[in-house]
Amino acid sequence: MRTRRPDVICDCQQCGKKFPVAAPNYDARVRAGYPPHFCSRVCMGMSWRTKSRETRVCQHCREPYFYQPGRTTHGVERKRGTLYCSKECQASAISAAAADPEFVGYTRGRRRDSNGYIVRRRADGGADAKEHILVMEQSLGRKLLKGEQVHHVNGQRADNRPRNLELWNTSQPAGQRVSDKIEFAKEILAEYGLSFQYTTASDVVSGVAGLI
Ligand SMILES: [Zn+2]
Ligand SMILES: [Zn+2]
């Protein structure tokens, strides 16, 4: 009587779990040049979608997870991709934000535009504007500059608590030459009123923190 060869234990390249593959199957896959990489179809699909194995820290539980990148244009990421390790964490983060007394959301006098942003009257009676921009302009004490965008840290467009808003600058250097990039970096520093005398990264960080 022939004894069955034990299963080959493989590591899933997506989730890291170990999974058994029947020995003859494993041999056939190796012979064909496609050794088993994934524990399941779900992980195989995930790996196609994520393409990278970059990890991020979940905005809610603070655990690292495989991050799904957002849409890119010519290699530049335009959307931030996922922020949470799971749908459960996303739901918990939303309910935690909604429970915060500072959270206002869609209430009277604040309408929701077709993209989910809150639009409201300006305090000075000017034209209606997106609330997250008004909140950011108020905390900066100035209007947004060209190329600046306001992002919602937790991904919730109705959550305009100041701590949930991040200032982004989406302008790009004209070229990829190092000299172009350095010129661009100088322009950015000048735009934010920073000299480029800073020598360490922490100088730059504290300089930027002083602005916000
Ligand atoms: Zn897996
Ligand atoms: Zn999480």
Side-chain angles (χ1 to χ4, degrees), residues 12 14-17 38-40 43:
C12 174
Q14 178 64 27
C15 69
K17 260 189 275 182
F38 304 107
C39 70
S40 59
C43 277

Side-chain angles (χ1 to χ4, degrees), residues 31-180:
R31 265 200 309 278
Y34 300 104
H37 282 153
F38 304 107
C39 70
S40 59
R41 280 175 162 275
V42 172
C43 277
M44 184 165 67
M46 280 285 272
S47 119
W48 281 340
R49 267 174 286 146
T50 57
K51 291 193 186 79
S52 79
R53 287 174 52 80
E54 191 192 330
T55 55
R56 263 189 187 178
V57 170
C58 171
Q59 293 282 323
H60 186 67
C61 68
R62 299 274 144 205
E63 292 288 325
Y65 69 101
F66 287 123
Y67 137 78
Q68 289 205 31
R71 185 155 49 82
T72 54
T73 310
H74 305 301
V76 177
E77 194 166 0
R78 297 292 179 196
K79 291 213 166 180
R80 286 185 302 173
T82 56
L83 297 170
Y84 302 98
C85 67
S86 59
K87 285 231 174 338
E88 289 71 33
C89 270
Q90 185 177 32
S92 310
I94 294 166
S95 43
D100 185 333
E102 272 183 53
F103 179 89
V104 184
Y106 308 115
T107 52
R108 241 178 111 77
R110 308 143 78 83
R111 86 193 142 71
R112 180 188 186 283
D113 77 1
S114 56
N115 292 317
Y117 295 109
I118 293 177
V119 177
R120 70 162 160 83
R121 280 272 153 80
R122 286 179 186 272
D124 60 12
D128 291 1
K130 292 193 177 92
E131 185 176 57
H132 59 286
I133 294 174
L134 297 177
V135 171
M136 182 53 82
E137 286 183 345
Q138 200 188 356
S139 47
L140 293 169
R142 61 163 172 80
K143 295 246 177 229
L144 292 190
L145 303 173
K146 194 166 162 269
E148 281 183 344
Q149 281 181 2
V150 179
H151 273 264
H152 291 90
V153 173
N154 67 5
Q156 295 310 302
R157 294 173 174 183
D159 185 354
N160 291 333
R161 294 172 300 159
R163 83 179 69 144
N164 189 42
L165 300 178
E166 225 171 44
L167 184 64
W168 278 29
N169 189 315
T170 57
S171 45
Q172 299 281 328
Q176 292 296 325
R177 256 181 250 123
V178 170
S179 56
D180 288 344

